[in-house]
């Protein structure tokens, strides 16, 4: 019985998804007017965007300069 409890607990802990804050969730975009220069930014969702304009167009408000590290 104790082993079953431990197994269930470990399974529950490993299957929990960490939810991103709203400013880190990519939203669908129909159109946007961003410049095409490449100045990569790393969004708080771990995705690299061509520049800050593209990140913000997708709703990513928290980002750092430079491409994301893999």
């Amino acid at each position: 019985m104790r082993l079953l409890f431990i197994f269930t607990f470990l399974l529950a802990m490993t299957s929990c998804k960490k939810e991103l804050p709203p400013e880190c969730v990519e939203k669908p975009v129909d159109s946007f007017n961003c410049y095409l220069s490449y100045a990569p930014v790393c969004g708080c969702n771990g995705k690299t965007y061509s520049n800050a304009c593209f990140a913000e167009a997708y709703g990513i408000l928290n980002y750092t300069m430079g491409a994301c590290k893999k």
Side-chain angles (χ1 to χ4, degrees):
M1 186 69 164
R2 186 174 181 181
L3 185 60
L4 180 60
F5 173 76
I6 292 171
F7 176 74
T8 305
F9 176 76
L10 290 175
L11 183 62
M13 292 303 291
T14 58
S15 65
C16 291
K17 263 190 176 176
K18 185 177 180 183
E19 246 182 79
L20 294 172
E23 66 271 11
C24 295
V25 177
E26 195 173 80
K27 295 159 186 64
V29 175
D30 288 331
S31 65
F32 45 85
N33 296 315
C34 291
Y35 47 94
L36 297 177
S37 67
Y38 187 70
V41 297
C42 180
C44 54
N45 59 355
K47 183 175 177 183
T48 300
Y49 295 89
S50 299
N51 56 50
C53 182
F54 279 97
E56 291 174 9
Y58 281 101
I60 305 302
L61 305 177
N62 189 3
Y63 51 84
T64 56
M65 300 307 287
C68 298
K69 296 181 179 163
K70 302 253 174 183

